[in-house]
Amino acid sequence: MSDITYPHYSEDDNSSRGSHIEVVDSSGKPLLVMPSATAHSQRLAMKSVFVLIYNKQGKVFLQRRSNSKALAPGKWDISAATHVGVNEALEAAAERVLQKELNLSAVALHYQKSQEEQIEDATLWISLYSADIGNRPLSPNPDEVQDGLFVDAEELQSLYDHFPDTLTPVLEWAVRCNIIFGT
């Protein structure tokens, strides 16, 4: 039996979220549904949501991924990221990952843009969001995030320049392409 199915899931089918994702074409249009691990292993294009969290000082939150993560364990990453589940709205995926990884809810998300990117060996159709949380404290989920800190542009550049092996490919891409502090 094949792991591949076609996107005819009901809007109410939450069982597929998180384990199954939509594989997409170069414009982000869904082509088929399959387990996330299968899509990764076959290097197929997947819808993803990236969320950048900023504090009152304009610093961005970086998370250090849990050592139990399958991909890039223990590395510094953008604030939050996830694949979009089957029939899941982009903003709902952003809200889901913020709750799951940072125990953060009721955040005003600002859509920035969507674009296809090749990051290391993965093709991602990325929808980028940002949120300003002011002085609101974060409470990272230790199963997802082992550490975190807010950094400014200079600190982020120094981390990128001097400790590149401690960064996820996503964070490297975001710094290289001036996604985090770009104008």
Side-chain angles (χ1 to χ4, degrees):
M1 182 170 198
S2 172
D3 283 339
I4 301 172
T5 56
Y6 293 88
H8 296 287
Y9 282 81
S10 156
E11 288 290 332
D12 298 324
D13 184 6
N14 291 325
S15 64
S16 65
R17 293 192 179 143
S19 61
H20 283 74
I21 60 168
E22 294 174 338
V23 172
V24 297
D25 66 14
S26 62
S27 65
K29 179 183 172 194
L31 297 173
L32 50 97
V33 172
M34 67 174 46
S36 174
T38 303
H40 272 285
S41 69
Q42 294 181 18
R43 298 181 176 158
L44 300 174
M46 302 165 271
K47 273 199 268 187
S48 297
V49 168
F50 293 177
V51 184
L52 301 172
I53 300 294
Y54 297 91
N55 67 10
K56 187 176 181 175
Q57 293 77 32
K59 294 183 175 187
V60 70
F61 180 77
L62 300 182
Q63 67 158 278
R64 189 163 171 221
R65 295 171 58 85
S66 167
N67 283 327
S68 64
K69 291 288 211 176
L71 298 173
K75 294 200 173 198
W76 290 102
D77 202 356
I78 62 172
S79 305
T82 191
H83 292 302
V84 179
V86 177
N87 292 322
E88 185 176 29
L90 296 172
E91 192 166 321
E95 291 169 348
R96 173 177 53 81
V97 73
L98 288 176
Q99 180 64 49
K100 180 181 178 185
E101 294 183 354
L102 303 175
N103 292 307
L104 191 59
S105 59
V107 174
L109 292 168
H110 304 284
Y111 172 78
Q112 302 298 317
K113 61 182 172 179
S114 293
Q115 65 191 52
E116 184 182 45
E117 287 292 335
Q118 184 74 31
I119 301 176
E120 210 168 55
D121 63 349
T123 302
L124 303 174
W125 182 258
I126 299 165
S127 292
L128 181 66
Y129 287 85
S130 66
D132 181 344
I133 62 167
N135 287 328
R136 191 170 168 186
L138 293 177
S139 178
N141 175 351
D143 293 333
E144 300 288 329
V145 179
Q146 68 174 298
D147 200 2
L149 73 155
F150 282 94
V151 298
D152 62 25
E154 185 178 320
E155 293 164 329
L156 180 59
Q157 189 64 49
S158 181
L159 187 62
Y160 177 81
D161 291 341
H162 300 290
F163 303 100
D165 57 330
T166 67
L167 311 181
T168 64
V170 168
L171 183 53
E172 287 183 84
W173 163 80
V175 173
R176 189 174 53 253
C177 295
N178 205 21
I179 298 296
I180 297 173
F181 292 107
T183 54

